[in-house]
């Protein structure tokens, strides 16, 4: 009997334990984390530790992660991670990594994500990760260039996002506790769209609901406006006659709606790319009204929520949404897009950052998005930082965060970017392309704003140069040296103050077969054009060399030259000056007659006997006839090429 009693007691306890687990799993699947946490803890208290499946520890980590109790999340994630090993589950593995980042255990976090990317990612993803990691390591060493301020319009509840429309700041808030229901997922009020008059970048008044006709009893959030504020785009809980629509998995998804604010009666238009089994939200319409960016966890993406873009046609229809790709979208959440001046700002959990959501940017050029750049502190913290919005003044704007020290939940912050205080240093060496020898005395020039010289430096005896550049600026860097070809590249600095970028090297081709240098003067290398005594006509021998000049100028179509002609020292100064001028002009005329554009010849000057190669007296006692003939010459000076 005793054995049977113990067996029945074991079965009863086990059944009770399994009942607790079933309830906890149901709450977890419905994302009601505030109730799932005690349900899982109740199960853990009744279960034997050796019987607890790894999946339970994973789910408990998820629950506390979503409740932002990162210490408890780490406790359970570490048990799960030790039991199953790395990379067994994409999302939870990344949430464990993100938990470590929030707790500022960056080295340990890097080990976790690096294992994942090596096992599951592509070579492109791995390279992008290493590049982001390198930039992040520089970021955490440096100072921030952002000054931020918590706005007075924030409440004790969640306030986030923002859009500026005709002097009005429109944002999302949960401050409507008395009017709306409580969201069962985390016991917070449902979100609504609010507005405030802008008295200045940080001063607001007349805070209230944006429009009572648009408000629903559930979530309404994250707005954007079309040009001239004709349309408002926003996300809202899927509803039917003000009742939530739940799908087979007992979830209520978000949809994006458009409303014509100029219509007499406001009507919500459901956009065509919404679905019944996934969410779409965070809409952003570009300034010209031709594109709509948004976030969605629709099938076919690279993670949870991905960022998409679709074209808005003139007739008001939309193209098929395009995913922005795996170098922007990670395997977890990427959302809150904002696009301006060919730069996409967005928030992500998956890229290398400080913890939680961080704000990133990427430049769009030549049809592709470039490297993803973390905006650094103070914009980002180890909490959630998101919803970047540009302000009305240059280098200013707003973002949202649930960092410590706020007024409650998410808060909206203003920022000012002190770009002029951010300087970076680049260094490099100039080499001979073929021999690899260093080139001292080469000039390195940084151009900005379509050809404006920002800085010029000369390489030292080791062929090295150092240059100071502004942050977040695109330059054209060019290295030149007389007798050599040029080497140039487009170079963009990032936003890390004091960042040193070395190995920005240049390699110049030796053009000594084409050009000869005389000090800093570069000349076309040809055999001397000798003129007959007291003559300035182009003879057959001279024409052979002038054809060589034409060949060089055809090879360098931008080249501009000047012609210098000389006589020997026999004859009067006046006569020789006139003779050399005639020789210069006849040389110029011959080149023009044979196809050279006159604008490419800056000048044709005769110097008479004033610049001889050989010094001779008037009586011919110190020069041979050959030396006299060498003084009678025309030279071709390179002005630019």
């Amino acid at each position: 009997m005793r054995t049977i009693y113990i067996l029945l007691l074991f079965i009863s306890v086990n059944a009770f334990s399994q009942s607790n687990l079933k309830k906890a799993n149901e709450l977890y699947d419905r994302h009601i984390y505030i109730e799932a946490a005690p349900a899982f803890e109740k199960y853990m208290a009744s279960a034997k530790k050796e019987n607890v499946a790894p999946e339970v520890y994973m789910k408990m980590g998820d629950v506390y992660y979503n409740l932002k109790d990162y210490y408890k999340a780490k406790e359970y994630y570490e048990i799960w991670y030790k039991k199953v090993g790395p990379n067994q589950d994409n999302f939870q593995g990344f949430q464990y990594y993100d938990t470590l980042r929030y707790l500022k255990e960056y080295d340990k976090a890097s080990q976790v994500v690096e294992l994942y990317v090596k096992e599951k990612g592509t070579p492109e993803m791995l390279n992008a990760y290493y590049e982001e990691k390198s930039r992040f390591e520089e970021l955490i060493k440096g100072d921030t260039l952002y000054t931020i301020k918590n706005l007075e319009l924030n409440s004790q509840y969640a306030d986030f996002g923002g859009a500026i429309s005709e002097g009005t700041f429109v944002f999302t808030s949960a401050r409507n506790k008395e009017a709306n229901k409580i969201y069962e997922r985390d016991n917070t009020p449902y979100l609504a769209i609010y507005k405030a008059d802008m008295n200045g970048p940080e001063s607001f008044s007349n805070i209230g609901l944006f429009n009572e006709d648009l408000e629903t009893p559930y979530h309404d959030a994250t707005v954007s406006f079309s040009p001239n504020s004709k349309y408002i785009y926003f996300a809202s809980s899927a509803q039917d006659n003000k009742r939530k629509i739940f799908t087979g998995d007992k979830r209520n998804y978000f949809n994006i709606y458009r409303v014509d604010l100029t219509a007499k009666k406001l009507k919500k238009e459901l956009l065509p790319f919404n679905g019944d089994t996934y969410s779409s939200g965070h809409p952003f319409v570009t300034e010209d009204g031709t594109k709509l960016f948004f976030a969605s966890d629709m099938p076919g993406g690279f993670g949870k929520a991905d960022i998409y873009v679709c074209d808005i046609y003139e007739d008001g229809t939309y193209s098929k949404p395009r995913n922005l790709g795996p170098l922007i979208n990670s395997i977890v959440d990427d959302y809150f897009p904002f696009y301006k001046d060919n730069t996409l700002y967005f928030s992500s959990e998956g890229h290398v950052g400080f913890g939680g959501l961080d704000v990133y940017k990427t430049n769009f050029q030549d049809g592709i998005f470039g490297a993803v750049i973390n905006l650094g502190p103070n914009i980002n913290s180890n909490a959630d930082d998101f919803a970047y919005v540009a302000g009305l003044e240059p280098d200013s704007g707003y973002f949202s965060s649930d960092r410590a020290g706020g007024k409650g939940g998410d808060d909206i912050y203003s920022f000012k970017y002190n770009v002029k205080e951010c300087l970076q240093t680049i260094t490099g060496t100039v080499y001979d392309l073929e021999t690899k020898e260093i080139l001292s005395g080469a000039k390195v020039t940084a151009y900005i704003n379509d050809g404006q010289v920002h800085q010029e430096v000369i390489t030292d005896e080791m062929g090295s140069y150092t240059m100071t550049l502004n942050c977040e600026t695109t330059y054209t860097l060019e290295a030149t040296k007389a007798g050599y070809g040029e080497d140039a590249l487009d170079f963009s600095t990032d936003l890390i103050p004091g960042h040193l970028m070395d190995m920005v090297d240049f390699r110049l081709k030796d053009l000594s077969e084409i050009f000869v240098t005389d000090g800093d003067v570069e000349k076309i290398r040809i055999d001397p054009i000798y003129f007959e005594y007291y003559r300035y006509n182009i003879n057959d021998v001279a024409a052979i060399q002038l054809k060589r000049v034409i060949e060089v100028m055809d090879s360098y179509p931008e080249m501009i030259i000047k012609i210098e002609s000389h006589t020997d020292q026999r004859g009067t100064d006046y006569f020789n000056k006139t003779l050399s001028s005639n020789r210069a002009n006849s040389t110029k005329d011959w080149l023009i007659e044979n196809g050279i554009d006159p604008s490419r010849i800056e000048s044709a000057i005769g110097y008479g006997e004033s610049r001889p190669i050989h010094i001779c007296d008037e009586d011919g006692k110190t020069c041979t006839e050959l030396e006299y003939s060498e003084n009678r010459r025309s030279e071709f000076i390179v002005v630019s090429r």
Side-chain angles (χ1 to χ4, degrees), residues 175-226:
R175 66 186 68 202
N176 55 338
K177 182 177 181 181
E178 301 302 323
N180 269 11
K181 299 179 181 180
I182 299 298
Y183 184 33
E184 66 273 14
R185 178 171 171 176
D186 55 9
N187 272 347
T188 59
Y190 278 94
L191 301 168
I193 302 170
Y194 273 71
K195 66 179 179 179
D197 293 337
M198 298 185 70
N199 306 318
E202 299 169 352
S203 177
F204 303 88
S205 60
N206 300 323
I207 301 173
L209 282 171
F210 176 75
N211 190 301
E212 292 187 2
D213 292 337
L214 291 181
E215 188 189 17
T216 72
Y218 303 106
H219 283 313
D220 303 301
T222 54
V223 308
S224 182
F225 293 90
S226 67

Side-chain angles (χ1 to χ4, degrees), residues 80-293:
W80 164 75
Y81 198 71
K82 289 176 182 177
K83 284 179 175 290
V84 303
N87 310 315
Q88 295 300 307
D89 187 284
N90 296 357
F91 297 144
Q92 280 67 30
F94 242 84
Q95 288 181 181
Y96 174 40
Y97 155 70
D98 192 46
T99 298
L100 294 171
R101 289 191 305 175
Y102 184 91
L103 299 174
K104 298 185 178 181
E105 297 183 25
Y106 295 124
D107 290 340
K108 192 171 182 179
S110 294
Q111 294 172 6
V112 172
V113 74
E114 195 166 333
L115 280 172
Y116 170 79
V117 176
K118 284 182 177 179
E119 291 290 329
K120 302 287 186 179
T122 63
E124 291 79 11
M125 287 177 63
L126 185 61
N127 291 336
Y129 167 74
Y130 283 135
E131 184 179 339
E132 287 184 35
K133 180 183 176 184
S134 176
R135 282 198 299 268
F136 180 73
E137 289 170 349
E138 292 288 339
L139 276 173
I140 60 178
K141 295 177 188 175
D143 297 325
T144 179
L145 292 168
Y146 291 93
T147 54
I148 67 170
K149 182 178 180 180
N150 189 299
L151 298 182
E152 294 181 359
L153 62 74
N154 290 309
S155 68
Q156 61 179 309
Y157 303 104
D159 303 282
F160 63 89
I164 299 173
S165 172
E166 299 179 343
T168 301
F169 188 75
V170 184
F171 63 101
T172 301
S173 179
R175 66 186 68 202
N176 55 338
K177 182 177 181 181
E178 301 302 323
N180 269 11
K181 299 179 181 180
I182 299 298
Y183 184 33
E184 66 273 14
R185 178 171 171 176
D186 55 9
N187 272 347
T188 59
Y190 278 94
L191 301 168
I193 302 170
Y194 273 71
K195 66 179 179 179
D197 293 337
M198 298 185 70
N199 306 318
E202 299 169 352
S203 177
F204 303 88
S205 60
N206 300 323
I207 301 173
L209 282 171
F210 176 75
N211 190 301
E212 292 187 2
D213 292 337
L214 291 181
E215 188 189 17
T216 72
Y218 303 106
H219 283 313
D220 303 301
T222 54
V223 308
S224 182
F225 293 90
S226 67
N228 302 319
S229 298
K230 175 177 172 61
Y231 295 102
I232 182 174
Y233 293 77
F234 65 97
S236 184
S237 302
Q239 301 166 47
D240 182 16
N241 294 323
K242 295 190 176 181
R243 293 174 63 98
K244 274 189 175 182
I245 298 174
F246 290 93
T247 57
D249 59 2
K250 298 182 179 180
R251 292 186 62 183
N252 173 246
Y253 293 97
F254 277 82
N255 291 323
I256 297 177
Y257 296 89
R258 186 181 78 164
V259 175
D260 184 351
L261 295 175
T262 64
K264 291 183 179 181
K265 185 177 180 180
L266 302 184
K267 183 180 179 181
K268 293 168 62 176
E269 173 192 347
L270 184 67
L271 297 192
F273 48 76
N274 290 293
D276 296 330
T277 59
Y278 58 86
S279 287
S280 297
H282 310 141
F284 177 79
V285 181
T286 55
E287 289 180 314
D288 60 6
T290 63
K291 286 182 171 52
L292 170 65
F293 289 85

